[in-house]
């Protein structure tokens, strides 16, 4: 393209709270990398920071990253900067994600951005069931400035319709997709995880991947694991737990591990850049969250041929077919979680069977290409562009 030629591609400006390691942010990366570069261009705006290492996951060279370094408090402090940014770039679509970025729909409207999409990906520990009156009010107040909503689960779509009052025609459900080539089904033996003390094939490895924060509730999983090996000492010699990820709960988890004297049974693996291989080093994947939208890690585990034990929150029940591809348990109930884990450790063949079923379910319903196609169609239809 010559320096004076006008770029006719649709510019999508993605607004997130922070562009660093996380499931939501990884979804943005997958979307940008997969959308047709002949039809779409992108700018990523982080209200706080853009992590250079994470930005490097975007493989397209024409993507710009803008970090606004927002101070604590509401986003209205950034409204002048956001207004100038929208006027400078003139995006065809501004796509905000989750409550932390919703307030930027107002300056986008004020700047004349024609299409303002807001995605609801799920809630956190401060509002695990979406009932916080203040947060509901914020969502209702910003409803006039949002052109269209994307809900990542049927649960979130119903919430937008019933609690926030979004008309049926203004909300579309688009579930996350998983890269089936990157997350391949594991073989008959677990993969070797670099640095892991649990690579012995005679062990049964329970594992989870995610940021160590309260809403993900790895502490509940740790409590359940301790219950399991205390009440079933016959299983303890071969049962291990891997917690992959880093975050503010690491210190509390380390303290609990030391207090229970299970250092030889639990490995805090830290943040990993080899998540697909880490997954293939598990026998069973566990997601103990207090709140979820649609979990990327559940889909990745299923794509990897693992059975999934997950809490029955958010959209988890739309992914895990209870009794077929895994098991759903109530949140914050370590005793029932321990019961579920015991079934898989006692009967490894159950996990193998359910893992195969999970892989088939992902192949049929949750491919990454299918997800990208839905976003492309929505962006184009709302912008009045032909395919």
């Amino acid at each position: 393209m010559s320096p004076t030629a006008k770029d006719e591609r649709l510019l999508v400006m993605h607004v997130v709270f922070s562009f660093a390691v996380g499931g939501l942010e990884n979804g943005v990366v997958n979307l940008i990398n997969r959308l047709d570069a002949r039809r779409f261009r992108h700018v990523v705006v982080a209200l706080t920071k853009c992590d250079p290492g994470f930005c490097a996951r975007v493989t397209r060279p024409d993507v710009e990253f803008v970090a606004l370094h927002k101070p604590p408090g509401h986003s209205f402090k950034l409204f002048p900067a956001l207004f100038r940014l929208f006027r400078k770039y003139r995006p065809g679509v501004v796509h905000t994600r989750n409550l932390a970025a919703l307030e930027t729909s107002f300056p986008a409207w004020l700047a004349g951005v024609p299409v303002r999409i807001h995605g609801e990906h799920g809630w956190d520990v401060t509002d695990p069931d979406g009932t916080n009156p203040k947060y509901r009010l914020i969502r209702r107040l910003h409803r006039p400035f949002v052109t269209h909503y994307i809900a990542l689960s049927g649960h979130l779509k119903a919430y937008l319709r019933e609690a926030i009052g979004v008309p049926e025609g203004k909300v579309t459900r688009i579930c996350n997709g998983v890269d089936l080539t990157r997350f391949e089904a594991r073989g008959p033996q677990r993969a070797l995880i670099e640095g892991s003390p649990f690579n012995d094939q005679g062990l049964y490895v329970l594992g989870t991947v995610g940021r160590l924060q309260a809403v993900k509730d790895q502490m509940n999983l740790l409590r359940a694991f301790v219950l399991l090996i205390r009440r079933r000492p016959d299983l303890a010699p071969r049962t291990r737990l891997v917690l992959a990820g880093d975050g503010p709960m690491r210190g509390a988890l380390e303290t609990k591990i030391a207090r229970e004297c299970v250092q030889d049974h639990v490995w805090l693996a830290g943040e990993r850049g080899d998540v697909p291989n880490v997954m293939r080093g598990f026998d069973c994947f566990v997601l103990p969250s207090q709140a979820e939208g649609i979990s990327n890690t559940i889909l990745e585990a299923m794509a990897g041929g693992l059975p999934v034990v997950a809490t029955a929150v958010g959209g988890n029940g739309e992914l895990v077919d209870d009794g077929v591809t895994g098991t759903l348990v109530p949140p914050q109930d370590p005793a029932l979680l321990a019961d579920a884990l015991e079934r898989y450790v006692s009967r490894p063949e159950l996990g193998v069977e359910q893992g195969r079923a999970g892989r088939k379910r992902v192949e049929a319903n949750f491919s990454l290409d299918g997800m990208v196609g839905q976003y492309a169609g929505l962006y184009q239809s709302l912008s009045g562009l032909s395919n």
Side-chain angles (χ1 to χ4, degrees):
M1 184 181 294
S2 69
T4 57
K6 182 179 179 182
D7 195 331
E8 298 292 342
R9 296 175 297 169
L10 179 65
L11 175 58
V12 182
M13 187 170 278
H14 306 269
V15 183
V16 295
F17 180 73
S18 171
F19 200 61
V21 174
L24 181 156
E25 295 80 6
N26 200 56
V28 177
V29 171
N30 286 334
L31 187 59
I32 291 174
N33 286 340
R34 295 268 179 153
L35 280 169
D36 189 345
R38 297 166 299 179
R39 292 187 289 163
F40 300 97
R41 55 196 179 101
H42 307 270
V43 174
V44 175
V45 178
L47 300 181
T48 53
K49 66 175 182 177
C50 289
D51 178 76
F54 190 77
C55 292
R57 297 188 185 186
V58 175
T59 57
R60 286 181 51 174
D62 61 341
V63 177
E64 294 185 54
F65 302 92
V66 180
L68 297 179
H69 306 290
K70 185 182 84 68
H74 290 288
S75 300
F76 68 78
K77 299 174 184 177
L78 293 178
F79 280 6
L82 285 163
F83 178 82
R84 291 191 296 269
L85 199 64
F86 296 143
R87 295 291 286 182
K88 173 186 175 181
Y89 284 92
R90 299 283 183 177
V93 174
V94 163
H95 186 166
T96 59
R97 289 168 171 86
N98 272 357
L99 186 64
L102 175 59
E103 291 173 308
T104 63
S105 61
F106 174 71
W109 169 81
L110 203 61
V113 177
V115 178
R116 302 167 304 278
I117 296 173
H118 180 67
E120 284 286 347
H121 290 241
W123 306 305
D124 64 21
V125 72
T126 62
D127 185 27
D129 54 3
T131 57
N132 184 298
K134 176 185 174 182
Y135 296 158
R136 285 195 176 195
L137 178 61
I138 291 172
R139 288 184 170 95
R140 290 182 184 126
L141 290 175
H142 286 83
R143 192 178 62 202
F145 308 113
V146 177
T147 308
H148 200 86
Y149 290 83
I150 294 174
L152 267 69
S153 68
H155 173 75
L156 288 169
K157 182 176 181 180
Y159 170 80
L160 289 171
R161 289 279 294 109
E162 297 163 11
I164 309 303
V166 179
E168 174 68 29
K170 289 188 66 174
V171 57
T172 299
R173 177 183 179 267
I174 302 180
C175 187
N176 285 345
V178 62
D179 187 342
L180 295 171
T181 58
R182 183 166 180 251
F183 289 89
E184 299 176 327
R186 54 159 281 186
Q189 290 193 320
R190 284 184 287 105
L192 302 181
I193 304 175
E194 184 178 354
S196 173
F198 305 146
N199 282 328
D200 185 334
Q201 294 297 325
L203 299 174
Y204 192 93
V205 179
L206 304 161
T208 192
V209 177
R211 183 162 169 75
L212 304 182
Q213 59 190 63
V215 70
K216 296 300 182 182
D217 210 2
Q218 289 92 349
M219 186 63 76
N220 183 48
L221 172 55
L222 180 55
R223 291 189 182 108
F225 179 80
V226 172
L227 280 175
L228 168 60
I229 63 174
R230 294 284 188 267
R231 73 188 187 194
R232 287 293 306 271
D234 57 313
L235 298 179
R238 66 183 182 87
T239 307
R240 299 293 186 270
L241 174 64
V242 175
L243 305 177
D246 208 348
M249 290 298 294
R250 185 180 180 100
L253 290 165
E254 289 174 335
T255 299
K256 176 70 171 175
I257 290 168
R259 184 182 302 128
E260 299 290 349
C261 300
V262 291
Q263 296 94 325
D264 293 339
H265 286 76
V266 182
W267 179 42
L268 290 172
E271 187 176 312
R272 305 288 300 202
D274 58 343
V275 171
N277 192 68
V278 170
M279 291 274 198
R280 287 190 287 272
F282 297 162
D283 291 292
C284 177
F285 179 80
V286 191
L287 191 74
S289 304
Q290 295 180 27
E292 283 289 344
I294 285 288
S295 168
N296 286 318
T297 52
I298 284 181
L299 291 174
E300 291 163 358
M302 290 168 63
L306 295 177
V308 175
V309 178
T311 46
V313 297
N316 288 355
E318 298 173 42
L319 305 182
V320 179
D321 189 350
D322 191 25
V324 177
T325 67
T327 301
L328 294 170
V329 297
Q332 298 180 278
D333 192 327
L336 288 180
L337 179 53
D339 290 344
L341 300 180
E342 183 180 341
R343 285 195 293 275
Y344 290 94
V345 179
S346 301
R347 297 177 55 204
E349 69 280 4
L350 174 65
V352 172
E353 177 185 337
Q354 293 189 350
R356 290 184 185 132
R359 173 73 187 193
K360 291 178 181 178
R361 180 168 169 77
V362 168
E363 289 173 344
N365 300 293
F366 301 106
S367 74
L368 186 55
D369 288 340
M371 178 202 80
V372 172
Q374 291 182 76
Y375 274 101
L378 186 64
Y379 286 158
Q380 291 188 141
S381 66
L382 292 175
S383 303
L385 303 177
S386 58
N387 291 330

